[in-house]
Structures are given as structure tokens and as C-alpha cells.
Amino acid sequence: MTEVITAVYEVSGDDPEARAAGAAVEQSHELPTALAPASALVSLARVVSVERSAGGPARATIAYPVELAGAELTQLLVVLLGNISLQDGLRLVDLDVPASLPAAWTRPHPAVAGIRRLVGAPTRPLLATALKPVGLSPEGLAAQAYAFAAGGIDIIKDDQGLANQVWAPFRERVAAVTDAVARANAEHGTSARYLPAVSGPGALFEERLRFARERGADGALVLPGISGYDRICVAREVFGADGILYAHPSFLGGFTAAGSHGIAPDVLFGLISRLAGADAAIFPSYGGRFSLTRVECERIAAASSRPFAGLAPVLPSPGGGMTVARADELVGVYGRDVLLLIGADLHRDGALRENTERFRETAERLG
Amino acid sequence: MTEVITAVYEVSGDDPEARAAGAAVEQSHELPTALAPASALVSLARVVSVERSAGGPARATIAYPVELAGAELTQLLVVLLGNISLQDGLRLVDLDVPASLPAAWTRPHPAVAGIRRLVGAPTRPLLATALKPVGLSPEGLAAQAYAFAAGGIDIIKDDQGLANQVWAPFRERVAAVTDAVARANAEHGTSARYLPAVSGPGALFEERLRFARERGADGALVLPGISGYDRICVAREVFGADGILYAHPSFLGGFTAAGSHGIAPDVLFGLISRLAGADAAIFPSYGGRFSLTRVECERIAAASSRPFAGLAPVLPSPGGGMTVARADELVGVYGRDVLLLIGADLHRDGALRENTERFRETAERLG
């Protein structure tokens, strides 16, 4: 018997059985079965079950022959939601794949345990921040990085809006910031790691990663909504088993902003991030500037570490307007295996180092 | 005065002025203005206007300094909708950019006039179909391609679900199909062009494109929702000025499936396809298996050719369950500068060639 990829969809509307049957064909044959040659039926997906629920969407489970994904992450995404992403009333809400499938493209990577080792923090909540805004000079950003590192932050990333603009071109920025972080770590006995944002188009994507690695960056912030999830695997090839790859949700929100289509946030930020081999994944936490509920966020944390396809956990990284004052609450909800991402709140009063020290003290107390 | 990128958003909710102001900061500084150093204010976006409308969303116009995009398509998408894609109630509905911006990454390409020249059809509606389903052998797909080419189709693409699966591995498939199309064109005096689907991950993306080009393919079907829009530019580098690049909407539907967030279909399938330098762009037409309305589709056709940033028009390609019987109606709506994509209907009764001949006769009559 062939192995299968199992996907669960929430289905709205009057006839969920018909919609599920349509989705199974759309996502495998894309041709009415009656018109498909018999020899091709081997690749047809199958509706396993449709469970109706009173007052809510039905849940349809579809089994796809694993060969449909062709052992490629890109094609797996096509199979799971390619065409039906265009249909309102179908939402991908759960997922399982045989371990052999991601084994074809994932490589050893730090994941949660490795990040803890790299920053020397075996148990406490982990801390991230962002260099911003766009418009600052490399020196200005490097000064921020020095203050954050001296204050005891674990991960410093570029703002997702930092690319290769005239105010702080990529190479100048990466050179200035890696130097500043190394100096702060040496002078203060800290272990901050710097992840530049790399969204660079075409061949520049890999070229920038190589430059960053050679210049001493510890990994990268990758934007799979902009660059494609497979670019996380490209970044892994460059950075190897010790590189920290941090996934940012930029341009992915179409999937999560409404409940009736797209992808459930826990599947997107938890499971799909793990399939791509990300070490940590940013998502917009409840109680910030974005739309997710607390329940959705708790599910993201659960999907980040539950057994799934033989894959390592990903570190959930709630962001989007978090504050140090909320760290206790956030750790209560997400647990200690979390990478708290706090941006603006660490900039308050221009006291970046002091604010970071307070953030770190809070984490030590909670660890 | 600096040049600007102008984006128009539909804004739902009670206080559109506040949401627009928030979006302008989110998409440029991502840091409250009060915390931003004065030297960085040069990159801050500006709300130009917020027009309320009775009973519908407001329209907010935001001007971004063009330098924010760093002359890169990837970063332009980050600026237009990166973080706010995650917010329900904000929808990108119009867009203008200085011609100098896409000039940084676009290259000469066939566009509408070039495709017409390549297939020898100066005025009539153009015709496309898909090889399918996944599960067929290279020989089975090649036999389909021969029949379509002999019948007078213009463009033959792989189904978006064809990647590198065991049933028809990429190289075997491309070799068999290019041979079959060349033979049919030679034997029947036709001009069919073949575009294999290329979604291959990482470095395989470019490797497959190179193989396809060397083996005689005429361009490629690219899936920007899976691979990233910048991969269209990568494909352009490989195929050059005569390669036909056909954009497929797979995995892009999160943006269009609901009206309260994401990207209006005309902006996504019309304007953004043109920014990337696609020659033709598939979208799910009204009256098929997907959710767009006729009005939305008319807007896609308009956005495909209206003056925009000095860019060539893109050929709108309505698909998703179209039939030959509807060709008159579709040409009435979309005009003659259209690439009608008909899949299953050409497979009816196994009479691929005869069905295609009827499709072509219809197009000649309408041309």
C-alpha cells in the first residue's frame, strides 16, 4: 500500500461532501476522473472522511499518494493548497506526512536545542529583537546591535524591511553589525547572534547569504512568503548545521487573515515552518498589532513541538507589538521554549541596553 | 522631491484614518515615529488621503519613498503588503510606481505582441491548454501534446501539478513533449509552443529551466506563489527575450479568496504580474470552479494592459473550468488580447485533436 499525505480541511457551505470530492480531484488530477486514462488513476487523491458539525464548517480529510509531492517541498505545497487556495470556504487545518518525505530535503539544523546551545541558555525563555527602522545608517544600526548584545539579548535580526536600500546597503550593514555584535560579546561576555534579513532577488539571495556567512553572521532572517519556502533550504545549504534560520511571516498573511480559507496559523507557522527546516518562526501574537486570537496562538505553540513527520521542533516566536511587561504572561501561554520577539518596546527612551537588561532579567527569573 | 510608490488600500472598520496611519508606519519604519531617530525619517511613508464611503470600506492612499524598495521586486512586495498582509481589514486595491523602479529588474520579453509573433496570430484570441493529469507517463503526455499541437493550439503548458514525480520525471517529460510538439508542428504546419511547469526547489529551479531551454522548450510555467515572484526574473535570465513566461496562480489564493484583506485580483494578476515581467498570467475566471466575479475579471483584463510604470501589457489568461462553448462570451468580456486556457473540455470523448480544431476555428471566427 502506498504511503499518503493526509490533509484536513475545514469546508464551509451546504454540501461539504461534494466540495471535498472536488478538492481531492483539483489537488491531484485537476481533470474529471471520467476523462483520466486508467493508467493515471494511481495518483488520484481520496476523500477519507467528511465530518459535519452543527453550526460550524465540516472537516474533510483527504489522502494524497505521497508520490504526488515528488519528494519536493515546493510540490508538496502545490498538492496541499495550490489551486484550492483560490477557493473561499476551504481551509487547511491539519496535516501529516510520512517522515520519508521531508527527509528528502531537510538537513541537520540547530532547532530549539541547538539555538539554546549556541546562546548558552539551556532552559530560560529566549530573547530576540530587531534593528530598525529602515532609513538608519549602518553605523546607527550597528550601535543598536551593540547595545542589544551588551544588554544580553540572544538573537538580533534585521527588520524585515531592511534589504539593500541606499541608507544601509546590505554588505555595509552586515559588516558593521557583525563587528559590533562580536565586540559587544567580547567586551561583555554575552552570546548574541546576528541574523541579517535576506530577501534578495534571484541569484543575489544566495550571494548575500554567502557574504553574510563569510562576514560572521550566525544565520539569516528569511521571508518565505516573498522568497518561497524552498529558499529556507537554500539558506540551509549555505549556513550548514549551525546556522540559525529564522522565518518571518511577511506577505504570508493572506493565508491567515480570514478564517474561511487559507491555512490555519498553527499549520502555517508551526508545521510548514518545520517542513522547511526553519529553526524559529515569527508569528503575530495575540494582544499586539495583528489579528490572531490567543487560542490560535496556543495552537501555534503546540504545533511547533508536537511529534510531526520525524522533524525537530521549531521555536515559536511571538511578535508584532510585544512588551517586556507582558513577558510573564507570554511565557505562561507559550512555555519556556519560546523566542520572545520584542522590537519597539526595547527602543523606549533610547535606553536600548537598559531595556534589554530588564528583558534578560525577566527571562532569567522565568527560566 | 523624492519619487514615490503609491498604493491604495481598502480599509474596513471604524477609524480608517488611524488604520491608514498605522499601515504607513508598519510598512516603512515598523517603529513608532517618536522612537525613530530624526536621520531615519527620510524613509517614512505618508498617508496622502483617506476617502470614506457610505456603507463600504474607505480608500486610503499611501506614498512610500521609492528608495524603500531598494530597486528590488522582492522588497517592493515587502513594502506594499509584507506585514499588513497579516491584518484583516486592509486590502491592496491599486498601485503605481515610477517607471525607473521595474526598469531595474525587468528585461525585454515577448509580452502580448511577442507571443502573437511567435505563434503567428496577429489579431485573434490566443489559445492555451494543459497536459494532465499527474500520473500519466511521458509518452502519454507527449501524445496529448501532439494532438493539441496538430489541432492548432497556441500554447501547451504542463499542469501545475506536474513537477518531477516518478510517473513522468521532469527531464523525460520535457524531452518527450518537446519532440512531440516539434513533430506535430512540422507535420501539420502549426506553431504550438510548449511551456513545462518549473517549480523545482532551490538550485533545481534554474537547472530545470536550463535543461528545458536546451531541449527546445519555448519558455516555462512559473508558480510565483510557490517560488516567489523574483523567480520569474530568474526564468527570464535563462530564457531571454523570446522565452514565454506564463504565471500560474497556485498558492496565491489566500490574497484573493476574501474581499476584506489581501490583494485585489486585478492588482495581483494584472499589475504585479507585469512588474515581474510575466508574458501571460492565469487567473480563475468567473463562471468556473473558483470564486472571482465577472466584474473582478473585467478589472483583471483592464489592469493587464492599461498604462502602468512603462511596462508591457501581460496577456490575461482566464482558466479554471472554461469551455469552448463559452469562447464567444469570454472574448466578449476579455477582448481579443486574451489567452483562453481550456483544459478538461478539450479532453472530452478522448477527441483532443478534434476538440482543439473546434477551439481554433472558434478563435479564427472571433479574430
Side-chain angles (χ1 to χ4, degrees), chain A residues 199-206 208 227 231, chain B residues 71-75 105 230-231 233-234:
Chain A
S199 64
L204 285 174
F205 180 78
E206 195 171 333
R208 287 190 187 148
S227 300
R231 287 312 215 321
Chain B
E72 294 180 350
L73 172 60
T74 39
Q75 188 58 23
W105 63 75
D230 68 308
R231 285 318 215 316
C233 304
V234 171

Side-chain angles (χ1 to χ4, degrees), chain A residues 26 30 43 67-68 72 75 82 85 87 132 134 159-161 165 202 208 230-231 250-251 253-254 289, chain B residues 26 30 43 67-68 72 75 82-83 85 87 132 134 159-161 165 202 208 230-231 250-251 253-254 289:
Chain A
E26 185 75 46
E30 225 187 301
S43 67
E67 295 85 355
L68 264 180
E72 294 179 350
Q75 186 59 22
S85 73
Q87 295 183 334
K132 56 171 87 174
V134 186
D159 184 80
Q160 51 119 25
Q165 295 96 338
R208 287 190 187 148
D230 68 307
R231 287 312 215 321
S250 183
F251 213 66
R289 305 191 301 276
Chain B
E26 184 75 44
E30 225 186 304
S43 68
E67 295 85 357
L68 264 182
E72 294 180 350
Q75 188 58 23
N83 274 4
S85 74
Q87 295 183 333
K132 58 171 84 171
V134 186
D159 184 79
Q160 50 118 23
Q165 296 96 337
R208 287 189 187 149
D230 68 308
R231 285 318 215 316
S250 184
F251 214 68
R289 303 190 303 277

Side-chain angles (χ1 to χ4, degrees), chain B residues 35-127:
Chain B
L35 298 176
S39 70
L41 291 178
V42 62
S43 68
L44 189 64
R46 184 172 60 85
V47 178
V48 177
S49 63
V50 178
E51 297 166 37
R52 291 189 180 225
S53 97
R59 283 173 70 91
T61 300
I62 296 180
Y64 301 97
V66 70
E67 295 85 357
L68 264 182
E72 294 180 350
L73 172 60
T74 39
Q75 188 58 23
L76 174 61
L77 298 177
V78 169
V79 170
L80 291 172
L81 203 74
N83 274 4
I84 58 170
S85 74
L86 295 150
Q87 295 183 333
D88 195 25
L90 281 170
R91 183 170 179 84
L92 178 66
V93 297
D94 203 0
L95 175 61
D96 202 15
V97 306
S100 58
L101 189 60
W105 63 75
T106 50
R107 299 287 175 267
H109 62 104
V112 180
I115 294 179
R116 290 196 169 285
R117 176 176 49 77
L118 288 164
V119 302
T123 60
R124 65 166 168 80
L126 298 168
L127 313 179

